[in-house]
Amino acid sequence: MFELLKTDSSSRARLGRLHTTRGVIDTPVFMPVGTQGSVKALDPRELREMGTQIILGNTYHLHIRPGMDIINAAGGLHRFINWPHPILTDSGGFQVFSLAKIRKIKPHGVEFRSHLDGSLLFLGPKEAMAIQRALGSDIAMVFDDCPPHTAGPRELRGAVDRTLLWAKECREQPRASGQLVFGIVQGGADASLREACARELVAMDFDGYAIGGVSVGEPEPELMKAVETTEPFLPAHKARYAMGLGTPAQLVELVARGVDMFDCVLPTRVARNGTAFTTRGAVSVKAGFNKADFRPIEEGCECYACKNFTRAYLRHLLNVNEILGLRMVSVHNSHMYLKLMADIRGAIATGTFAEFRREFVANFVPSRKILTAREESR
Amino acid sequence: MFELLKTDSSSRARLGRLHTTRGVIDTPVFMPVGTQGSVKALDPRELREMGTQIILGNTYHLHIRPGMDIINAAGGLHRFINWPHPILTDSGGFQVFSLAKIRKIKPHGVEFRSHLDGSLLFLGPKEAMAIQRALGSDIAMVFDDCPPHTAGPRELRGAVDRTLLWAKECREQPRASGQLVFGIVQGGADASLREACARELVAMDFDGYAIGGVSVGEPEPELMKAVETTEPFLPAHKARYAMGLGTPAQLVELVARGVDMFDCVLPTRVARNGTAFTTRGAVSVKAGFNKADFRPIEEGCECYACKNFTRAYLRHLLNVNEILGLRMVSVHNSHMYLKLMADIRGAIATGTFAEFRREFVANFVPSRKILTAREESR
């Protein structure tokens, strides 16, 4: 189901194709995040126009609202949200460990209170897979134990043991027709734990492998190390997915480390604060210096926002809280991420990825503010 | 510039065509309101797809933010907001009398404090026309004195005198190339004042006439009476515009009383509260009864929202505060208003307006909540 088309000669970057029942996904790929059944501020037409092939949905959030009775009645998530293309669903593990404040870890899952109304809920491998089966996602994720960045060795070891136990349970659950299931490697910054976790998951033969326990507040070198110490133990003929990452420059670096799939809330989240991504770095569209700048956010950008509006107008819209402002920056940022992945694929295909990577990373100046936003939450 | 194509045999309804330098407007017409340079939550493509021929901009708001230096530098309002089609600009009179809390009426305008930062500003016929000239709108409105619904006879009389004096001053100001200027009839519920005001304005020979001092909190019978007592004194060969109105059923009734042009914030404002307009009346999309309703907002509706999404999904989006929810209800409501005007034009053209009017008004059940929202403000 994963076709490895080419491996870059200068790095571990890969060009591939992931086949799902609802369509082919060209990798490396960026997957816009539709946590609650909507990629924030965007509509399906806008997503398709910018080249979106797959979006994310979230088990935890959708399970709480609207609830599975509604999504079942609609005939699954694709029909409920009118997105007939591939969807990957997160298992809810990350949210149970980050959003739900009061929780009790049990052998077969986690008892927790809804972050919304405090009601008592239970999510484990069985439940997470049943929900994802009902959602009917094209790619389901196993239910894992995702410890915080600050976890000690004992907690990290426990999380890996639990992740493996639960992965095995997930593996045995029934799936939706054609649904792929990906395992998630945990282990924090501990290379030997990462290796052990990866090896055991690979032995379980999942359809793809995610690197989890990243984007949990760790500094960038640690994030890169987590990927570098995991990737060698993942099979070449399966897709690899780094969860919840990252800035544009980080995506380029992660592709160079052999990652094929990405999701991140950054493009739409920073857009709502009036910040845009360009190939030169992040820029505050809302800032006063744009008030009489009649250029687009980025010259040459082919997104709807850049083809139609100036920085001065978008700055005004953001300034007076007009929804069109955050909409257009969300369009631009999501387009920028998708275009970046298309450029990366082109560079790998033509054997120019080393040059592309060097230039992109040198030109891209991440702002401190952006990195903070990334660390906030998913 | 106004072509009267047909007058209905059963009512005072008219079919017409208003010619402006940026395009022809088919009347009766609904003009979506872009107060701050954006029709709330919608983009220009969506507006064009639903058949929008002309939108509104507002002198008071645009003068305060972004300010005329920015709009001048952009090359006018059309270029600033990327709307190359007709724009009508309100003169700011209404806002000076409703939004600005501290004001002093002077012979040649009003001194007031910005509702935003309290800075001292002055707007009169000369200033309002100069701003509208710089905005470059296709239709400019005179600067009028719009008293509240509760004004006594003396205040009403004073407002009419001032409106006439200011209209004369506006008439003498230079205009943008091809810009039409409309006079505004005041006079509240006093039929003789309305008549006198209309007669004097008509003698000044404006390009069109608006009925002002409506949508200021008056009950519906009084609103209808204000139009009925004004309309007979307006020339048949000029367009008539009822400002800031109304519900769909009210629009049908106002067309029947000879009105050609309408603007109203209702479709987008109630959308942001999760309320949709249908030909049967207003419906709360957000309400619990829609949670498993997999029909569109209105069966047979051709808008993007109804062709793509169910009530259940839109209800979920509104419920979890996803921007796509209010966007889609805004699309539907604005489309509904534009489609209603197209249906009205069709009915007048085919001589079936009497039947259309009877059926539409009988089927449309306005909710109390909607009428209250209308009365709040513009």
Side-chain angles (χ1 to χ4, degrees):
Chain A
M1 73 218 54
F2 180 72
E3 239 183 301
L4 182 60
L5 299 175
K6 189 175 177 185
T7 304
D8 182 48
S9 58
S10 72
S11 70
R12 306 190 70 84
R14 299 135 49 92
L15 188 70
R17 244 190 234 131
L18 182 62
H19 296 263
T20 75
T21 46
R22 282 190 187 79
V24 172
I25 297 151
D26 297 307
T27 65
V29 66
F30 178 72
M31 309 182 280
V33 181
T35 307
Q36 304 189 107
S38 165
V39 176
K40 287 200 191 296
L42 305 182
D43 70 42
R45 173 167 69 169
E46 290 165 334
L47 287 167
R48 288 301 279 177
E49 281 176 354
M50 58 181 79
T52 306
Q53 293 183 313
I54 175 171
I55 62 170
L56 240 75
N58 200 283
T59 291
Y60 173 92
H61 290 282
L62 294 168
H63 174 60
I64 291 179
R65 290 189 300 191
M68 292 313 296
D69 50 339
I70 305 295
I71 296 177
N72 282 332
L77 185 57
H78 296 81
R79 295 188 60 174
F80 182 60
I81 71 174
N82 191 29
W83 177 261
H85 316 290
I87 299 177
L88 179 150
T89 44
D90 194 356
S91 65
F94 183 90
Q95 285 72 25
V96 164
F97 285 92
S98 62
L99 280 183
K101 294 295 168 208
I102 303 152
R103 59 179 171 267
K104 199 185 275 178
I105 303 180
K106 304 207 163 184
H108 300 285
V110 184
E111 193 179 84
F112 62 97
R113 291 200 176 271
S114 156
H115 72 288
L116 264 180
D117 62 3
S119 63
L120 198 65
L121 299 165
F122 186 86
L123 214 52
K126 208 170 163 178
E127 293 74 17
M129 293 309 287
I131 295 171
Q132 292 181 89
R133 186 189 178 195
L135 290 170
S137 56
D138 303 272
I139 304 173
M141 302 303 297
V142 298
F143 186 80
D144 60 332
D145 181 337
C146 184
H149 159 57
T150 50
R154 198 188 148 94
E155 192 181 350
L156 221 50
R157 173 83 246 176
V160 167
D161 288 347
R162 216 169 283 117
T163 291
L164 289 169
L165 196 73
W166 290 349
K168 202 155 174 286
E169 280 186 62
C170 286
R171 190 76 186 74
E172 291 156 5
Q173 302 305 313
R175 309 170 172 198
S177 163
Q179 191 174 46
L180 307 180
V181 178
F182 280 24
I184 304 178
V185 181
Q186 291 290 346
D190 184 328
S192 60
L193 265 182
R194 285 268 173 197
E195 176 181 344
C197 190
R199 284 190 189 278
E200 289 213 41
L201 285 171
V202 171
M204 294 181 207
D205 193 24
F206 282 99
D207 301 314
Y209 296 92
I211 298 164
V214 287
S215 191
V216 290
E218 74 284 3
E220 188 175 291
E222 198 171 303
L223 142 69
M224 292 298 166
K225 202 187 146 222
V227 173
E228 287 162 12
T229 55
T230 306
E231 187 271 341
F233 307 102
L234 301 178
H237 62 288
K238 298 276 174 81
R240 296 98 171 255
Y241 162 30
M243 302 182 83
L245 297 168
T247 65
Q250 285 174 340
L251 261 51
V252 173
E253 282 305 315
L254 290 165
V255 165
R257 284 162 176 79
V259 179
D260 309 305
M261 301 169 70
F262 302 93
D263 78 286
C264 193
V265 296
L266 264 191
T268 47
R269 175 175 296 159
V270 305
R272 296 195 300 281
N273 298 325
T275 299
F277 284 114
T278 73
T279 52
R280 297 270 163 182
V283 59
S284 171
V285 180
K286 207 176 177 171
F289 59 75
N290 279 323
K291 71 178 182 180
D293 189 334
F294 299 105
R295 295 173 304 168
I297 295 175
E298 181 151 32
E299 303 273 7
C301 175
E302 290 287 316
C303 83
Y304 179 80
C306 286
K307 283 197 295 184
N308 285 281
F309 306 115
T310 63
R311 288 180 174 212
Y313 178 56
L314 296 176
R315 188 251 168 190
H316 162 68
L317 293 179
L318 292 162
N319 201 32
V320 299
N321 295 315
E322 284 287 349
I323 290 164
L324 186 60
L326 68 89
R327 272 187 62 186
M328 289 301 109
V329 185
S330 297
V331 163
H332 171 82
N333 285 357
S334 301
H335 178 275
M336 191 271 171
Y337 267 64
L338 286 154
K339 176 66 165 49
L340 171 60
M341 302 317 277
D343 288 346
I344 288 173
R345 291 194 300 269
I348 301 172
T350 56
T352 56
F353 180 70
E355 200 184 321
F356 177 88
R357 174 188 181 186
R358 194 167 48 240
E359 280 191 17
F360 188 90
V361 174
N363 286 333
F364 189 87
V365 185
S367 86
R368 218 184 129 59
K369 215 164 123 190
I370 298 301
L371 292 170
T372 315
R374 186 182 67 79
E375 286 158 11
E376 266 169 34
S377 78
R378 272 194 296 204
Chain B
M1 70 215 61
F2 180 73
E3 237 183 302
L4 182 59
L5 298 174
K6 189 176 178 184
T7 305
D8 182 49
S9 58
S10 73
S11 70
R12 305 190 72 83
R14 298 135 51 92
L15 189 70
R17 244 190 234 133
L18 181 62
H19 295 265
T20 76
T21 46
R22 282 188 187 80
V24 172
I25 297 150
D26 297 307
T27 65
V29 66
F30 177 73
M31 308 181 280
V33 181
T35 308
Q36 306 190 104
S38 166
V39 177
K40 287 197 190 301
L42 305 182
D43 69 42
R45 173 167 69 169
E46 289 166 335
L47 286 166
R48 289 301 279 178
E49 282 176 354
M50 59 182 76
T52 305
Q53 293 183 315
I54 176 171
I55 63 169
L56 239 76
N58 200 282
T59 291
Y60 174 92
H61 291 282
L62 294 168
H63 175 60
I64 292 179
R65 291 189 301 189
M68 292 313 296
D69 50 340
I70 305 294
I71 296 177
N72 282 332
L77 184 59
H78 296 82
R79 295 188 61 173
F80 183 60
I81 71 173
N82 191 29
W83 177 260
H85 315 289
I87 298 177
L88 179 150
T89 44
D90 194 355
S91 65
F94 184 90
Q95 284 71 26
V96 164
F97 285 91
S98 61
L99 281 183
K101 293 296 167 206
I102 303 153
R103 59 178 171 268
K104 199 186 274 179
I105 303 179
K106 303 206 164 186
H108 300 286
V110 185
E111 194 178 83
F112 62 97
R113 293 200 176 270
S114 157
H115 71 289
L116 264 179
D117 63 4
S119 62
L120 199 64
L121 299 165
F122 186 86
L123 216 51
K126 208 169 162 177
E127 293 75 17
M129 293 309 287
I131 295 170
Q132 291 180 90
R133 185 188 177 195
L135 290 171
S137 56
D138 303 272
I139 304 172
M141 302 302 298
V142 298
F143 187 80
D144 60 333
D145 181 338
C146 184
H149 160 57
T150 49
R154 198 188 150 95
E155 192 181 351
L156 222 49
R157 173 83 244 178
V160 167
D161 288 345
R162 217 169 281 116
T163 291
L164 288 170
L165 197 73
W166 290 348
K168 201 155 174 285
E169 281 186 61
C170 287
R171 190 74 185 78
E172 290 157 6
Q173 303 304 313
R175 310 169 173 200
S177 162
Q179 191 173 45
L180 307 180
V181 178
F182 281 22
I184 304 178
V185 182
Q186 291 290 348
D190 184 327
S192 59
L193 266 182
R194 286 268 173 198
E195 176 181 342
C197 190
R199 284 189 188 278
E200 288 213 41
L201 286 171
V202 171
M204 294 181 207
D205 192 25
F206 282 99
D207 301 314
Y209 297 92
I211 298 165
V214 287
S215 193
V216 291
E218 75 285 3
E220 188 175 292
E222 198 171 303
L223 142 70
M224 293 297 167
K225 201 186 147 222
V227 173
E228 287 162 13
T229 56
T230 306
E231 188 270 341
F233 307 102
L234 301 178
H237 61 288
K238 298 275 174 81
R240 297 97 171 255
Y241 162 31
M243 302 182 84
L245 297 168
T247 64
Q250 285 173 340
L251 262 52
V252 173
E253 283 305 315
L254 289 165
V255 165
R257 284 163 175 80
V259 179
D260 308 306
M261 302 168 71
F262 302 93
D263 78 287
C264 193
V265 296
L266 263 191
T268 48
R269 176 175 294 158
V270 305
R272 296 195 299 281
N273 298 326
T275 299
F277 283 114
T278 73
T279 51
R280 297 271 163 181
V283 59
S284 171
V285 181
K286 207 175 178 170
F289 58 75
N290 279 321
K291 72 178 182 181
D293 189 333
F294 299 105
R295 295 173 304 168
I297 295 174
E298 181 150 33
E299 303 272 8
C301 175
E302 290 288 315
C303 83
Y304 179 80
C306 286
K307 282 198 295 186
N308 285 281
F309 304 116
T310 62
R311 290 181 173 211
Y313 179 56
L314 296 175
R315 188 252 169 190
H316 163 66
L317 293 179
L318 292 163
N319 201 31
V320 299
N321 295 316
E322 285 286 349
I323 289 164
L324 187 59
L326 67 89
R327 271 187 63 187
M328 289 300 110
V329 184
S330 297
V331 163
H332 171 82
N333 285 356
S334 302
H335 178 276
M336 192 271 171
Y337 267 64
L338 287 154
K339 177 66 166 52
L340 171 60
M341 301 318 276
D343 288 347
I344 287 174
R345 290 194 300 269
I348 300 172
T350 56
T352 56
F353 180 70
E355 200 182 323
F356 178 88
R357 173 188 182 185
R358 195 169 45 241
E359 280 191 18
F360 188 90
V361 174
N363 286 334
F364 189 88
V365 184
S367 87
R368 215 183 132 61
K369 216 164 122 190
I370 297 301
L371 292 170
T372 314
R374 186 181 67 79
E375 286 159 10
E376 265 168 35
S377 78
R378 271 194 299 203

